[in-house]
Amino acid sequence: MPSVKPGELRLTAKGEATRRRIVEGAAVQIRTGGAAATTLDDIRARTSTSKSQIFHYFPGGKEELLLAVAAREAELVLEDQEPHLGDLGSWEAWQDWRDAVVRRYEQQGVTCPLGVLMTELGRATPAAQVLTARLIDQWQSALRRGVRRMQDSGQMDAGLDADRTAAALLAAVQGGVTILMSTGRVTHLEAALDATLGLLRATAPGASLHEG
């Protein structure tokens, strides 16, 4: 049985389901009306829960609930890249991952639910920083594993630092997304990923032979 930290709420399966329903309902409400404008009453109405239930599962009130929603949105960032992110063992798989990333953010448009939530929570607060760092670490780790798979199979330059390469790929995504959110144009995200992957492919062993 998993351990429970002091002060942490121990939930039954039914309790977990109720908590998840509140988080998912709050996420929908926030995507619709924005984090700042969303009240606990809005969330109660959408999820058909009482005020006592909200505070039972989220004793810290709205801030704690927003943090739970932000954590779920962070999970979705990675889930939406699957199954490609977990299977980066060929150039075709990398292209599929690139397409999934572009499609996700193109559909999302200029409003990033996770970004809005982190702004509302305060990006400099310890809890928000931990959440952001966890997302970045998990994302970079998955990309690093993909780079190493490609190196092990001889499809990517073995001399590359896998961690720095993964960091560069992640920076390409985030840079493109930042411009997308400012302009509504996905072209910079596409260009950043295409250029980065193109350079990696061009320096791969035997690349000149394949190109010829």
Side-chain angles (χ1 to χ4, degrees):
M1 179 180 294
S3 61
V4 178
K5 298 176 183 177
E8 185 177 337
L9 187 65
R10 185 192 296 270
L11 298 176
T12 63
K14 183 178 179 181
E16 286 283 5
T18 300
R19 186 182 187 279
R20 184 168 57 252
R21 178 167 58 81
I22 294 171
V23 169
E24 292 175 352
V28 173
Q29 183 65 39
I30 288 166
R31 291 191 202 105
T32 303
T38 295
T39 67
L40 289 180
D41 285 339
D42 294 329
I43 295 168
R44 284 198 312 105
R46 181 174 287 275
T47 59
S48 300
T49 50
S50 66
K51 194 169 186 178
S52 61
Q53 280 181 302
I54 294 283
F55 281 96
H56 172 70
Y57 293 106
F58 305 96
K62 183 179 177 180
E63 182 175 341
E64 185 176 345
L65 177 52
L66 287 181
L67 190 61
V69 175
R72 178 56 186 150
E73 291 290 348
E75 290 175 353
L76 288 174
V77 169
L78 299 181
E79 287 178 11
D80 287 349
Q81 298 174 54
E82 296 296 353
H84 317 294
L85 185 61
D87 189 32
L88 297 173
S90 67
W91 286 116
E92 181 181 2
W94 280 91
Q95 184 64 38
D96 289 342
W97 168 74
R98 174 266 187 210
D99 293 344
V101 169
V102 170
R103 184 167 55 251
R104 179 192 199 277
Y105 285 105
E106 187 173 30
Q107 292 172 349
Q108 174 182 284
V110 298
T111 303
C112 173
L114 180 59
V116 170
L117 284 161
M118 298 307 283
T119 299
E120 176 75 7
L121 289 165
R123 293 179 185 273
T125 62
Q129 287 182 332
V130 167
L131 180 60
T132 302
R134 184 186 305 135
L135 169 61
I136 294 300
D137 289 346
Q138 290 176 337
W139 199 344
Q140 186 168 329
S141 178
L143 292 170
R144 180 173 62 247
R145 288 193 295 271
V147 170
R148 286 177 175 159
R149 282 186 66 183
M150 296 291 282
Q151 289 175 316
D152 290 344
S153 63
Q155 298 179 79
M156 199 175 283
D157 184 358
L160 292 171
D161 183 311
D163 193 55
R164 285 177 63 84
T165 301
L169 285 160
L170 185 49
V173 173
Q174 289 302 298
V177 169
T178 298
I179 295 175
L180 167 63
M181 291 174 63
S182 300
T183 66
R185 295 195 298 265
V186 75
T187 51
H188 294 83
L189 173 60
E190 292 175 319
L193 283 172
D194 290 344
T196 306
L197 291 174
L199 287 171
L200 289 173
R201 195 162 189 168
T203 57
S208 58
L209 295 177
H210 294 310
E211 290 171 1

